[in-house]
Amino acid sequence: MLRVLGVDPGLTRCGVGIVEVASNRRARLVHVTVVRTPADMALEQRLLRIADGIAAEIDEHHPDAVAVERVFAQANVRTVMGTAQAAGLALHAAAARGLPVGLHTPSEVKAAVTGYGNADKRQVQTMIARVLGLDEAPKPADAADALALAVCHAWRLGSPDAVGTRATNLTPAQRAWRDAQGGTTDSPLARAAAAASRSQRGSSASSAAGRRLGA
């Protein structure tokens, strides 16, 4: 069993979720929580509370890897700064314990869990509950997002070629992601996942080209 801790970074609410994934890609919930800080607390104290919360979850649940949402630019600079600061705390906590880290964009996580890179939060919540065999979606959304990050990273670590996966054990979203990775796009979900994967690769290539031109 592979145990992954996912962190959905945020300054007011930081989701932390732990899942275990078997070789057949079936996932189960280990624990999920949200570290909260009040807006009127001093910034350094908010960051300390988040750091302590993430560290406590890692030390209690002993994950094999940590997955963190990759911070991306957005119009609200204040929000993205808080997200980046919380993400940095998660990266530090993992590195201090020698744990490997995976960074995933929201579209990567959505495509992995739902088969569609532009899925909304409700769709992610519904699918993560189905993947984990839960009666209802974890709340708040930060908790579900943290679990989705953990599941996404676990599935990425165990590619279809490397893991003994049987199609009969997979959810529709899992089959879509497997087919997209393998180049098979015979279903709408698989086509959506493949498109999301191509888009992500294109964005990464464009970013790399931009860095080279700017050097």
Side-chain angles (χ1 to χ4, degrees):
M1 297 286 283
L2 177 66
R3 179 171 288 198
V4 178
L5 181 145
V7 178
D8 179 48
L11 194 55
T12 301
R13 295 184 305 275
C14 181
V16 183
I18 303 99
V19 301
E20 281 189 341
V21 178
S23 59
N24 63 3
R25 292 164 64 106
R26 281 191 177 276
R28 80 170 187 90
L29 172 66
V30 175
H31 180 69
V32 65
T33 188
V34 175
V35 182
R36 302 172 186 268
T37 67
D40 59 354
M41 178 181 283
L43 176 61
E44 67 273 18
Q45 293 301 318
R46 299 180 77 180
L47 294 175
L48 178 61
R49 179 175 293 186
I50 293 169
D52 287 346
I54 294 172
E57 295 300 327
I58 292 176
D59 292 340
E60 179 178 353
H61 297 287
H62 306 289
D64 301 303
V66 173
V68 183
E69 182 179 298
R70 186 184 295 276
V71 179
F72 60 98
Q74 55 178 280
N76 191 328
V77 176
R78 183 174 180 178
T79 297
V80 78
M81 282 295 294
T83 302
Q85 289 167 332
L89 297 175
L91 297 176
H92 179 274
R97 292 159 178 78
L99 295 173
V101 175
L103 297 171
H104 303 282
T105 64
S107 62
E108 287 176 331
V109 175
K110 291 174 182 178
V113 175
T114 71
Y116 180 52
N118 289 323
D120 59 30
K121 283 189 175 294
R122 178 168 294 185
Q123 289 172 308
V124 173
Q125 290 174 319
T126 299
M127 286 305 301
I128 200 63
R130 187 175 302 173
V131 167
L132 295 175
L134 306 177
D135 293 333
E136 60 180 7
K139 293 183 177 60
D142 313 85
D145 288 346
L147 292 171
L149 274 157
V151 169
C152 172
H153 190 58
W155 286 350
R156 287 291 184 88
L157 288 178
S159 67
D161 292 336
V163 179
T165 302
R166 293 191 303 166
T168 54
N169 290 333
L170 304 181
T171 67
Q174 289 171 316
R175 286 196 296 272
W177 193 248
R178 178 207 58 191
D179 293 343
Q181 287 179 317
T184 302
T185 55
D186 292 334
S187 71
L189 275 174
R191 288 193 293 271
S197 181
R198 288 194 300 270
S199 175
Q200 181 58 36
R201 288 196 298 270
S203 297
S204 298
S206 297
S207 297
R211 287 194 296 270
R212 287 196 297 271
L213 291 173

